[in-house]
Amino acid sequence: MVADLAIRNVPEKLIFMVPPALAEHLATLSPPKPEAEKRELGQFFTQPPLADFIASFFFRPLQHWRVIDAGSGGGALTLALVRRIAAQRPRPLSFHVTAYEVDDDALALLRPALGTCAELCARHQIAFTFEVRAEDFIAHTTAALDQALFAPELRTFNAAIVNPPYRKLATGSPTHRQLASVGIEVTNLYSGFLALLARVLEADAELVAIVPRSFCNGPYFLPFRRDFLARMALRRLHVFESRTAAFASEAVLQENVILRAERTALPPATVEISSSRGDLGDSIRSRLLPWSEIVQPEDPQVFIRLPASDSEHAAVASLSGITGTLADLGLKVSTGKVVDFRVREHLRADPEDAAHPLLYPCHFEAGALVWPKLGGKKPNALAVPAERTDLLVPVATYVVVRRFSAKEERKRIVASLVDPARLPAKTSWLSIENHLNYFHAAGHGIDPTLAQGLLAYLNWSVVDAYFRHFNGHTQANATDLRSLPFPTAATLRALGQIVASLPSFPPQAELDALVSTHCARAPR
Ligand SMILES: C[S@@+](CC[C@H](N)C(=O)[O-])C[C@H]1O[C@@H](n2cnc3c(N)ncnc32)[C@H](O)[C@@H]1O
């Protein structure tokens, strides 16, 4: 373990040699590192306007701030918080920050930034102290939490500000094991940071963080959601509607949220959900919503729902009367069984007598199956024996939804129909590739009228907006689709009958009007 960095012994003169404006600039400059090294460190720095916005989330005017900035980089967030508390009334008496950082280049930027903090505090008669810990926040804090004989002392704080590193954590990696040793089950470094911060904050302490939105849904983050929400009450969540805006210069394509949470086991009564397009200076829309709308009491997945935009909010209201589940319809949704690179030797570019149709997203156009697609990039068939039910499904009617939509695409849920009439008559089996989810009845096809109704419902713009309120990324996984509310079979059949009677699948506006009359209504 690396001991406290000797920065505390840096002569003041040295600290103040850098003019404050330059220090501020330095703190937000990503060091010119190779991309791979930055990715490994999960490193991208917050620019001052965004840092100021993040710091503005703190609510409580503390007298004595004892702050932790974990993964401090060049100290942009601490600097912004100092700027904020310098203007706080009543004026705080002291400000202490403990900054953890592993990267020497970042530490070199942190020094002048802390100098600027000291200067700002001195100007406002606030006692400023700091401790730089040039070491791994996770290794150090998990060791302290472990309480082993020679474990470091566990330090606690009354505020935390953080833009943690984002990187997947491999199961069994040293960091993963350290976190597991204190009961933290996470798949990404950033959720590990948040889970640890929740453990080093004192009662009622505030945590303000900018993190990817991915923790809000999806099965991988479920243990984290449970753990975090048992310790922290979310008070405010801010969503950037544009996924590139927050860290535009760093090519970060994650959709980010800023959150403020308070260390208490009591769930909040209400949460402020705010949103802005992404450019700072844009107007901010804000709503105070009951906690039960953010995390539904009966939701086994503990999704954190963020109806941020007007359309998402309206969608939640529109679907509030629909309380059925996919299971109520006797249906399931699964990910396509074929991972093509694992069955490379069985892939066939063209249909063959002994091969079964293989369906990729490219085989669907305007909601309908178009097979085969000859001369394209994707294979059209899979040559395996009919016994390979791990790869095949019986030819029948299914509804498929693409798992990935392109960033610029208007809709996240793009559903299409697998209509057996569009396949050669003698075909008995087909295979669905892994980039598609498919709705089925316990492995078999769906009644065609029900399937048509389901197709119309899933393609309804309101369902898409509803989906976005709990899914902030471009993936539509089976778990997410399973979490949608579904109308009754009778409603879907009625809808299906109308759709089937039309000469072609209706364009979006027409479809929206049609589904709205059947599905958007007051609670049953
Ligand atoms: C996303 S950057 C944010 C930096 C700074 N907070 C900001 O907002 O500009 C995360 C920082 O965490 C540092 N880091 C990565 N892993 C770390 C670890 N295990 N312990 C401490 N710092 C770490 C990286 O070097 C990087 O500077």
Side-chain angles (χ1 to χ4, degrees):
M1 188 189 85
V2 186
D4 283 14
L5 186 77
I7 192 165
R8 271 180 286 175
N9 304 325
V10 172
E12 283 212 339
K13 239 188 12 244
L14 193 65
I15 291 181
F16 289 121
M17 257 165 44
V18 181
L22 177 59
E24 193 161 310
H25 174 64
L26 284 175
T28 61
L29 265 186
S30 289
K33 277 188 185 303
E35 273 310 311
E37 210 177 309
K38 277 170 66 171
R39 245 198 322 275
E40 181 59 27
L41 286 165
Q43 190 171 78
F44 40 89
F45 288 174
T46 313
Q47 302 301 307
L50 178 59
D52 283 332
F53 183 54
I54 296 168
S56 77
F57 275 51
F58 281 97
F59 187 69
R60 263 204 208 113
L62 298 175
Q63 252 197 341
H64 297 282
W65 288 82
R66 281 179 293 107
V67 180
I68 176 165
D69 181 349
S72 66
L77 295 182
T78 292
L79 195 52
L81 183 54
V82 166
R83 272 197 294 272
R84 175 172 170 83
I85 64 113
Q88 177 186 305
R89 296 294 172 267
R91 185 170 56 79
L93 301 179
S94 68
F95 186 96
H96 176 88
V97 62
T98 297
Y100 283 84
E101 176 55 59
V102 283
D103 177 38
D104 286 341
D105 294 331
L107 285 162
L109 303 176
L110 181 61
R111 289 184 186 107
L114 289 171
T116 304
C117 291
E119 194 180 85
L120 254 171
C121 282
R123 223 184 291 151
H124 291 86
Q125 290 116 50
I126 301 164
F128 177 76
T129 49
F130 63 85
E131 176 187 18
V132 174
R133 300 202 68 98
E135 63 182 317
D136 184 326
F137 168 65
I138 291 187
H140 182 247
T141 311
T142 50
L145 283 165
D146 212 15
Q147 297 287 297
L149 188 55
F150 297 109
E153 179 202 351
L154 180 69
R155 262 171 271 177
T156 59
F157 303 88
N158 65 7
I161 189 161
V162 63
N163 171 14
Y166 308 177
R167 182 165 51 77
K168 284 216 167 77
L169 270 185
T171 310
S173 63
T175 304
H176 190 267
R177 279 206 309 271
Q178 285 154 4
L179 288 164
S181 75
V182 294
I184 296 173
E185 216 30 76
V186 286
T187 52
N188 198 300
L189 209 48
Y190 85 83
S191 43
F193 267 58
L194 291 185
L196 280 179
L197 287 169
R199 285 160 170 80
V200 297
L201 286 178
E202 295 160 8
D204 303 331
E206 288 181 327
L207 160 74
V208 172
I210 182 161
V211 286
R213 186 178 164 175
S214 51
F215 73 93
C216 293
N217 67 305
Y220 297 127
F221 285 94
L222 176 61
F224 167 72
R225 286 195 292 276
R226 287 214 177 101
D227 178 84
F228 190 74
L229 296 178
R231 295 162 199 273
M232 305 291 297
L234 287 170
R235 298 284 182 213
R236 179 176 174 191
L237 284 147
H238 182 89
V239 183
F240 290 107
E241 284 154 29
S242 151
R243 71 181 47 242
T244 49
F247 294 101
S249 60
E250 300 279 352
V252 172
L253 291 182
Q254 293 264 18
E255 193 163 312
N256 288 288
V257 290
I258 302 174
L259 63 88
R260 180 177 89 238
E262 209 173 284
R263 179 77 167 94
T264 165
L266 293 174
T270 54
V271 188
E272 182 184 352
I273 304 294
S274 57
S275 66
S276 58
R277 230 179 44 74
D279 302 321
L280 291 152
D282 277 352
S283 59
I284 293 174
R285 279 184 307 261
S286 173
R287 289 193 175 87
L288 203 59
L289 295 174
W291 177 239
S292 56
E293 279 184 28
I294 306 302
V295 174
Q296 296 179 349
E298 304 300 327
D299 180 2
Q301 288 294 323
V302 198
F303 279 3
I304 299 172
R305 294 156 194 267
L306 303 176
S309 68
D310 290 344
S311 62
E312 288 167 23
H313 197 68
V316 173
S318 270
L319 295 195
S320 61
I322 299 180
T323 53
T325 65
L326 195 58
D328 296 340
L329 296 170
L331 300 183
K332 289 187 169 158
V333 57
S334 309
T335 309
K337 295 176 174 186
V338 175
V339 180
D340 56 8
F341 62 83
R342 294 207 187 120
V343 290
R344 215 167 262 146
E345 69 277 21
H346 303 304
L347 301 175
R348 299 291 178 267
D350 298 332
E352 287 178 10
D353 276 351
H356 314 279
L358 171 58
L359 309 184
Y360 279 87
C362 67
H363 288 111
F364 296 91
E365 282 173 16
L369 176 60
V370 182
W371 186 93
K373 276 272 178 72
L374 301 176
K377 284 194 193 137
K378 297 293 180 193
N380 279 291
L382 189 72
V384 289
E387 297 80 64
R388 288 296 302 268
T389 47
D390 57 322
L391 298 171
L392 301 172
V393 292
V395 166
T397 307
Y398 301 95
V399 173
V400 295
V401 170
R402 288 215 310 246
R403 282 181 63 205
F404 302 91
S405 50
K407 172 156 72 44
E408 61 284 354
E409 259 171 328
R410 209 175 60 77
K411 291 186 80 199
R412 300 269 172 84
I413 301 189
V414 181
S416 305
L417 193 70
V418 177
D419 177 357
R422 289 176 159 258
L423 292 171
K426 59 183 169 41
T427 319
S428 317
W429 299 95
L430 60 87
S431 50
I432 299 174
E433 195 267 338
N434 183 261
H435 284 74
L436 290 166
N437 299 298
Y438 66 109
F439 288 81
H440 55 95
H444 296 275
I446 309 175
D447 162 69
T449 313
L450 184 66
Q452 288 274 13
L454 182 62
L455 176 73
Y457 178 71
L458 289 169
N459 279 320
W460 185 24
S461 298
V462 171
V463 166
D464 199 69
Y466 183 93
F467 188 73
R468 282 166 197 261
H469 100 282
F470 66 79
N471 181 318
H473 44 79
T474 47
Q475 274 183 46
N477 288 322
T479 325
D480 300 326
L481 293 170
R482 217 170 279 136
S483 305
L484 288 169
F486 287 89
T488 61
T491 304
L492 288 180
R493 281 213 172 83
L495 202 52
Q497 257 161 13
I498 297 171
V499 172
S501 70
L502 299 173
S504 60
F505 197 69
Q508 192 66 52
E510 233 173 85
L511 179 79
D512 287 348
L514 174 68
V515 185
S516 291
T517 55
H518 282 76
C519 298
R521 57 171 82 112
R524 286 177 289 180

